[in-house]
Amino acid sequence: MASRPLTPRRPWEDRRVVLGVAGGIAAYKSVELARNLTRLGAQVDVVLTSSAKEFVTPLSFEAVTGRAAHQSLFSAGDSALHIRLAREADVVCVAPATANLLAEAAHGFAGDLLTTLLLATEAPVVLCPAMNHHMFRHVQTQANLEVLARRPGYLVAGPATGAMAYGEEEGPGRMLEPEEIVEHLGRALAAGPPWSGLPVLVTAGPTREPLDPVRFVGNRSSGRMGYAIAQAAWRRGAAVTLISGPTALDAPVGVERVVVETAREMQAAVAKALPGSRVVIMAAAVADFRPAATEASKIKRNGAPFEIVLEANPDILVETRRSRTPGAVVVGFALETGDLVTNAGAKLKDKALDLIVANDPREEGSGFEVETNRVTLLDQEGNTEELPLLSKAEVAERLLDRIEPMIGATGAASRTKGGRPRSRSR
Ligand code: C5P
């Protein structure tokens, strides 16, 4: 197999992340968070509260980040550590943010390195609450969270609902998983015009056309390309609706996912989500045909050949032509096994697209069921851009880079929540 290009490193690469760790059992997950961010190329400065050290050691963080983990406001030889870390940070994340930390932050306490740094920084702050569900539901914690969520530049990410530590019943208070927090930090780093608040519609995955209750006609699409696009658009600040055929993938963080099965269900879901969408990216591998009849019970074998009559499915992308938002950027995909550019160019015209993403599944590292893709982008002006073999996540980034200047001036929606200017890295 070809060497696998790395996961997307934008927007984390070379960015400074201060990871504040407060004293909760979820702190063990923060080691993985620090490791994931470091792998994405971020420079992670960990700051532990004194109670965090009861759960996890500074050494664990140093081992995964390759950088000093900080514990004290009064480090020898660096009296302005809190100011330096606060100033250099591109984003500050507190994970876990305990009930005590939230109370301190809400009221502006500055008794240790982490809380002092929170007052001193101008970077966006992402708080990831984690605590027992009774503590989370407590009226005081809720009041603190309300204050913090309203604060410009602050984002409260989570908590999730799930099993609690100490054998408690389920409830809200579980810290988000490290991969989800990574995405929230990505959005804090990358969101900005023209994407912030922009309604974006993405289709992904295969469709399944039932023959009987257990069998279907389908294809090998994994959904990975469309999911990567949906995630990348959300990271840039978009309000993303993902209409997905059946896949094994988790819903992208922050994205509204609508799961459908057949082409006709996908068509109905697209029709519903289309009004107002400013960018439409159809990455789904829609089955072109469906069985003319679906049997109500399982078809039995009787030794004789079995014929399936197929009828054409609607072309969802073509059908959208009448109801597209004026000025919307519409992007299609074309999977071609010959004459890539000619065939994709014809589809660009027939389907009235602004851009088409063409690829040949027979090329190594391309197409279905792989993490990578080699694509060619074609536009209405006849420009073709051949991209190298990249991870699907990086293809998604390049595609959005290409779409960005095509988004009309009216597409510049409201700024990201919170008033602080966001630096962007692309
Ligand atoms: O014509 P072809 O299937 O190659 O076109 C691919 C493009 O059209 C993709 O963007 C795909 O999502 C879309 N499509 C569709 N409905 C179909 C077939 C394809 O929306 N029935």
Side-chain angles (χ1 to χ4, degrees), residues 245-289:
T247 74
L249 304 173
D250 289 334
V253 174
V255 164
E256 190 188 331
R257 179 171 69 161
V258 180
V259 177
V260 295
E261 188 154 328
T262 66
R264 286 187 291 181
E265 285 172 18
M266 185 172 278
Q267 183 182 28
V270 166
K272 205 166 152 209
L274 193 65
S277 293
R278 300 295 319 274
V279 174
V280 178
I281 305 173
M282 299 276 212
V286 182
D288 289 320
F289 300 98

Coordinates of all heavy atoms in Angstrom, one line a residue, residues 245-289:
G245 N -26.3 8.6 3.7 CA -26.7 7.2 3.6 C -26.1 6.4 4.7 O -25.4 6.9 5.5
P246 N -26.4 5.1 4.7 CA -25.9 4.2 5.8 C -24.4 4.1 5.8 O -23.9 3.8 4.8 CB -26.6 2.9 5.6 CG -27.6 3.1 4.5 CD -27.3 4.3 3.8
T247 N -23.7 4.5 6.9 CA -22.3 4.3 7.0 C -22.0 3.8 8.4 O -22.8 3.9 9.3 CB -21.5 5.7 6.8 OG1 -21.7 6.5 7.9 CG2 -22.0 6.4 5.5
A248 N -20.7 3.5 8.6 CA -20.3 3.0 9.9 C -19.7 4.2 10.7 O -19.2 4.0 11.8 CB -19.2 1.9 9.8
L249 N -19.8 5.4 10.2 CA -19.0 6.5 10.8 C -19.9 7.2 11.8 O -21.1 7.3 11.8 CB -18.7 7.6 9.7 CG -17.9 7.0 8.5 CD1 -17.7 8.1 7.4 CD2 -16.5 6.6 9.0
D250 N -19.2 7.8 12.8 CA -19.8 8.6 13.8 C -20.2 10.0 13.2 O -19.5 10.4 12.3 CB -18.9 8.9 15.0 CG -18.6 7.7 15.8 OD1 -19.5 6.8 15.9 OD2 -17.5 7.7 16.5
A251 N -21.2 10.6 13.7 CA -21.6 11.9 13.2 C -20.5 12.9 13.4 O -19.9 12.9 14.5 CB -22.9 12.4 13.9
P252 N -20.2 13.7 12.4 CA -19.1 14.7 12.7 C -19.5 15.7 13.8 O -20.7 15.9 14.0 CB -19.1 15.5 11.3 CG -19.7 14.6 10.3 CD -20.7 13.8 11.1
V253 N -18.6 16.1 14.6 CA -18.9 17.0 15.7 C -19.6 18.3 15.2 O -19.1 18.9 14.3 CB -17.5 17.4 16.4 CG1 -17.8 18.4 17.5 CG2 -16.9 16.1 17.0
G254 N -20.6 18.7 15.9 CA -21.3 19.9 15.7 C -22.2 20.0 14.5 O -22.9 21.0 14.2
V255 N -22.2 18.9 13.7 CA -23.0 18.9 12.4 C -24.4 18.2 12.6 O -24.5 17.3 13.4 CB -22.2 18.0 11.4 CG1 -23.0 17.6 10.2 CG2 -20.9 18.8 11.0
E256 N -25.4 18.8 12.0 CA -26.7 18.2 12.1 C -26.8 17.1 11.0 O -26.7 17.3 9.8 CB -27.8 19.2 11.8 CG -29.1 18.6 12.1 CD -30.3 19.5 11.7 OE1 -30.1 20.8 11.7 OE2 -31.3 19.0 11.4
R257 N -26.8 15.8 11.5 CA -26.8 14.7 10.5 C -28.2 14.1 10.4 O -28.9 13.9 11.3 CB -25.9 13.6 11.0 CG -25.9 12.4 10.1 CD -24.8 11.4 10.4 NE -25.0 10.7 11.6 CZ -24.4 9.6 12.0 NH1 -23.6 9.0 11.1 NH2 -24.7 9.0 13.1
V258 N -28.6 13.9 9.1 CA -29.9 13.3 8.8 C -29.6 12.0 8.1 O -28.9 12.0 7.1 CB -30.7 14.2 7.9 CG1 -32.1 13.5 7.5 CG2 -30.9 15.6 8.5
V259 N -29.9 10.9 8.7 CA -29.6 9.6 8.1 C -30.8 9.1 7.3 O -31.9 9.0 7.8 CB -29.2 8.6 9.2 CG1 -28.9 7.2 8.6 CG2 -28.0 9.0 10.0
V260 N -30.5 8.7 6.1 CA -31.5 8.2 5.1 C -31.0 6.9 4.6 O -29.8 6.5 4.8 CB -31.7 9.1 4.0 CG1 -32.3 10.5 4.5 CG2 -30.5 9.4 3.2
E261 N -31.9 6.1 3.9 CA -31.4 4.9 3.3 C -31.5 4.9 1.8 O -30.5 4.6 1.2 CB -32.3 3.8 3.9 CG -31.8 2.4 3.5 CD -32.3 1.3 4.5 OE1 -32.4 1.6 5.7 OE2 -32.5 0.2 4.0
T262 N -32.6 5.2 1.2 CA -32.7 5.1 -0.2 C -32.5 6.5 -0.9 O -32.5 7.5 -0.3 CB -34.2 4.7 -0.6 OG1 -35.1 5.7 -0.2 CG2 -34.5 3.4 0.1
A263 N -32.3 6.4 -2.2 CA -32.1 7.6 -3.0 C -33.3 8.6 -2.9 O -33.2 9.8 -2.7 CB -31.9 7.3 -4.5
R264 N -34.5 8.0 -2.9 CA -35.7 8.8 -2.8 C -35.8 9.5 -1.4 O -36.2 10.6 -1.3 CB -36.9 8.0 -3.1 CG -37.0 7.8 -4.7 CD -38.3 7.2 -5.1 NE -38.3 5.8 -4.7 CZ -39.4 5.0 -5.0 NH1 -40.4 5.5 -5.7 NH2 -39.4 3.8 -4.6
E265 N -35.4 8.8 -0.3 CA -35.3 9.4 1.0 C -34.3 10.5 1.0 O -34.5 11.6 1.6 CB -35.0 8.4 2.1 CG -36.1 7.4 2.4 CD -35.7 6.3 3.3 OE1 -34.6 6.4 4.0 OE2 -36.4 5.3 3.4
M266 N -33.2 10.3 0.3 CA -32.1 11.3 0.3 C -32.6 12.5 -0.5 O -32.4 13.7 -0.1 CB -30.8 10.8 -0.3 CG -29.7 11.8 -0.3 SD -28.1 11.1 -0.8 CE -27.5 10.3 0.7
Q267 N -33.4 12.3 -1.5 CA -33.9 13.4 -2.3 C -34.9 14.2 -1.5 O -34.8 15.5 -1.5 CB -34.6 12.8 -3.6 CG -35.2 13.9 -4.5 CD -36.0 13.3 -5.6 OE1 -36.5 12.3 -5.5 NE2 -35.9 14.1 -6.7
A268 N -35.7 13.6 -0.7 CA -36.7 14.3 0.1 C -35.9 15.1 1.2 O -36.3 16.3 1.5 CB -37.6 13.3 0.8
A269 N -34.9 14.5 1.8 CA -34.1 15.2 2.8 C -33.4 16.4 2.2 O -33.3 17.5 2.9 CB -33.2 14.3 3.5
V270 N -32.8 16.2 1.0 CA -32.1 17.3 0.4 C -33.1 18.5 0.1 O -32.8 19.7 0.3 CB -31.4 16.9 -0.9 CG1 -31.0 18.0 -1.8 CG2 -30.2 16.0 -0.5
A271 N -34.3 18.1 -0.4 CA -35.3 19.1 -0.8 C -35.6 20.0 0.4 O -35.8 21.2 0.4 CB -36.5 18.5 -1.4
K272 N -35.7 19.3 1.6 CA -36.0 20.0 2.8 C -34.9 20.9 3.3 O -35.2 22.0 3.8 CB -36.3 18.9 3.9 CG -37.2 19.4 5.0 CD -37.7 18.2 5.8 CE -38.0 18.8 7.2 NZ -37.8 17.7 8.3
A273 N -33.7 20.5 3.1 CA -32.6 21.3 3.7 C -32.0 22.3 2.7 O -31.3 23.2 3.0 CB -31.4 20.3 4.0
L274 N -32.4 22.2 1.4 CA -31.9 23.0 0.4 C -32.2 24.5 0.5 O -31.2 25.4 0.3 CB -32.3 22.5 -1.0 CG -31.6 23.1 -2.2 CD1 -30.1 22.7 -2.2 CD2 -32.2 22.7 -3.5
P275 N -33.4 24.9 0.8 CA -33.7 26.4 0.9 C -32.8 27.1 1.9 O -32.6 26.6 3.0 CB -35.2 26.4 1.4 CG -35.7 25.1 1.0 CD -34.6 24.1 1.2
G276 N -32.1 28.1 1.4 CA -31.2 28.9 2.3 C -29.8 28.4 2.3 O -28.9 29.1 2.7
S277 N -29.5 27.1 1.8 CA -28.1 26.6 1.8 C -27.3 27.5 0.8 O -27.6 27.6 -0.4 CB -28.1 25.2 1.3 OG -28.7 24.4 2.3
R278 N -26.1 27.9 1.3 CA -25.3 28.8 0.5 C -24.2 28.0 -0.2 O -23.6 28.5 -1.2 CB -24.7 29.9 1.4 CG -25.8 30.8 2.0 CD -26.6 31.6 1.0 NE -25.7 32.1 0.0 CZ -25.0 33.2 0.0 NH1 -25.2 34.0 1.1 NH2 -24.2 33.6 -1.0
V279 N -23.9 26.9 0.3 CA -22.9 26.0 -0.3 C -23.5 24.6 -0.3 O -24.0 24.2 0.8 CB -21.5 26.0 0.4 CG1 -20.6 25.0 -0.1 CG2 -20.9 27.4 0.4
V280 N -23.5 23.9 -1.4 CA -24.1 22.6 -1.5 C -23.1 21.7 -2.1 O -22.6 21.9 -3.2 CB -25.4 22.6 -2.4 CG1 -26.0 21.2 -2.6 CG2 -26.4 23.6 -1.9
I281 N -22.7 20.6 -1.3 CA -21.6 19.7 -1.8 C -22.2 18.3 -1.8 O -22.5 17.8 -0.7 CB -20.4 19.8 -0.9 CG1 -19.9 21.3 -0.8 CG2 -19.3 18.9 -1.4 CD1 -18.8 21.5 0.2
M282 N -22.4 17.8 -3.0 CA -23.0 16.4 -3.1 C -21.9 15.4 -3.3 O -21.5 15.1 -4.4 CB -24.0 16.4 -4.3 CG -25.1 17.4 -4.2 SD -26.4 16.8 -3.2 CE -27.8 17.6 -4.0
A283 N -21.5 14.8 -2.1 CA -20.5 13.8 -2.2 C -21.1 12.4 -2.1 O -20.3 11.4 -2.2 CB -19.5 14.0 -1.1
A284 N -22.4 12.2 -2.0 CA -23.0 10.9 -1.9 C -22.9 10.1 -3.2 O -22.9 10.7 -4.3 CB -24.5 11.1 -1.5
A285 N -22.7 8.8 -3.0 CA -22.7 7.9 -4.2 C -24.1 7.3 -4.2 O -24.4 6.3 -3.7 CB -21.7 6.8 -4.0
V286 N -25.0 8.1 -4.9 CA -26.4 7.7 -5.0 C -26.5 6.5 -5.9 O -26.0 6.6 -7.0 CB -27.2 8.9 -5.5 CG1 -28.7 8.5 -5.5 CG2 -27.0 10.1 -4.6
A287 N -27.3 5.5 -5.5 CA -27.5 4.4 -6.5 C -28.3 4.9 -7.6 O -29.4 5.5 -7.5 CB -28.3 3.3 -5.7
D288 N -27.8 4.7 -8.8 CA -28.5 5.2 -10.0 C -29.8 4.4 -10.3 O -30.7 4.9 -10.9 CB -27.6 5.0 -11.2 CG -26.5 6.1 -11.2 OD1 -26.8 7.2 -10.7 OD2 -25.3 5.7 -11.5
F289 N -29.9 3.2 -9.8 CA -31.1 2.3 -10.1 C -31.6 1.7 -8.8 O -30.8 1.5 -7.8 CB -30.7 1.2 -11.0 CG -30.2 1.7 -12.4 CD1 -28.8 1.8 -12.6 CD2 -31.1 2.1 -13.3 CE1 -28.4 2.2 -13.8 CE2 -30.6 2.6 -14.6 CZ -29.3 2.6 -14.8

